[in-house]
Amino acid sequence: MSDSKTPMRTRRPDGTHRVVITGMGAVSPAGVGVEALWDAVMGKTCCIGPITRFDTEGYDVHLAGELRDFDAVEHGLTKKEARRFDRFVQYAIVASDEALAQAKLNMEEEDPTRVAVVFGTGIGGCDEFQAGCDALREKGPKRVSPLFVPTMIGNIAAGNLAIRYGMKGECLNMVTACATGAHNIGTALRDIRHGYADVALVGGAEESISPVCIAGFANLGALSKAADATQASLPFDARRQGFVAGEGAGALVIESLEHALARGAVPIAEITGFGSTGDAYHITAPDPTGEGVVRAMADALRESGFAPEEVGHVNAHGTGTPANDKTESAAVLELCGPEKGARVPVTSIKGTVGHTLGAAGALEAIICALSVARECVPPTTGFAEADPECAVNVVTAPIEDYPQKVALSNSLGFGGHNACLAFSPYQAD
């Protein structure tokens, strides 16, 4: 699958393909579009507010990162699609439309069997699942929608994206809870790197703000019960008490540098490394030693060709739960050493948009890639009071004019799933 005549500048030292990002799209509580998300994160805007999608009377939790006033038809879907597709699929399509437009990928000029879709969701169609269960209980089995299953199942976002754009390569939905978005990107990265695809549409989507999801997470003790939206999602802060559920989608077009240059695409940033590990510890709690997270970050760095002392910043999973932030802090300090670990900038976007679960890794990948491309580090919305057990350098104001060789984006999921993506500025040689 390699071409000996290909200039080596499009290949890594081991002969595998360099992989670049050529398009990005986002749907988040900040609104529709990557720049809406970027502006909110850089401006420390809290996009969290009262839940309006259902009545929260009787719930302990009343806040979330909702997509307010979202109309899929206004953003390119037909009325039929808007009726038939659950919200997570709608979000995935709108984000993907933006990513493909930026990438200027013309499928009529591509070999469709060389274009993959690797796009996931952590939970899937919550609305349809709840509606189907209600119909079964209240009206009987004959009243359950015949489209219940193909509307609700998690892989249907990837399936619908492939159908929409005519992409006939590998079509996957990697599900690793809150690490889903990052694992989908990493899986496609490896496919392209080793020649199984030329280009891939990757990312994650989630519609977790539903009665059953909020009740389940709240009863688990995972959600913040704060009444003030600005004090609810507090990554690494001593006052943190849980995460805030968010929703949306992040989509990226990634491709081999060889393919991107051949079609005249403009690379935004390069994905230089990926690490994926398991804790084998607990179904919800991270291993408090953080050793699995350390291995994921170390693997991503090793693959990228950089050393821990060269890390420009870490876009942390940073959920605002007591256990996650303490564990991730310990992992950064272990990876970089106590001196460098205490200095390297650490940021989390969850104070701005909440925890978007299966979409989080994709949205954070977008922010991390833009950070290295634009030579800056975003601040952490909500952080104000340092926690001695999180002895890392949490960014409180934007760091500008800050060139970086490599930055890391972490994602951690229930079940002990750890993923880390390494991003570097694109350089022609």
Side-chain angles (χ1 to χ4, degrees), residues 133-178:
C133 291
D134 289 346
L136 176 64
R137 183 182 62 254
E138 297 169 7
K139 300 177 182 179
K142 295 296 185 181
R143 298 301 297 275
V144 174
S145 168
L147 294 176
F148 169 73
V149 172
T151 300
M152 174 271 299
I153 51 178
N155 69 300
I156 212 64
N160 274 308
L161 292 172
I163 293 167
R164 184 178 184 85
Y165 308 119
M167 298 171 175
K168 297 184 178 182
E170 191 169 47
C171 186
L172 294 177
N173 164 41
M174 306 297 294
V175 182
T176 52
C178 305

Side-chain angles (χ1 to χ4, degrees), residues 23 58 116 144 168 188 197 226 249 251 288 306 335 357 368 411-412 414:
V144 174
K168 297 184 178 182
F306 295 102
L335 175 78
L357 306 176
C368 196
S411 292
L412 318 179
F414 280 0

Side-chain angles (χ1 to χ4, degrees), residues 191-214:
D191 283 346
I192 296 170
R193 182 159 285 164
H194 295 284
Y196 297 104
D198 295 324
V199 57
L201 174 61
V202 301
E206 204 73 88
E207 59 166 76
S208 59
I209 303 173
S210 69
V212 69
C213 282
I214 295 299

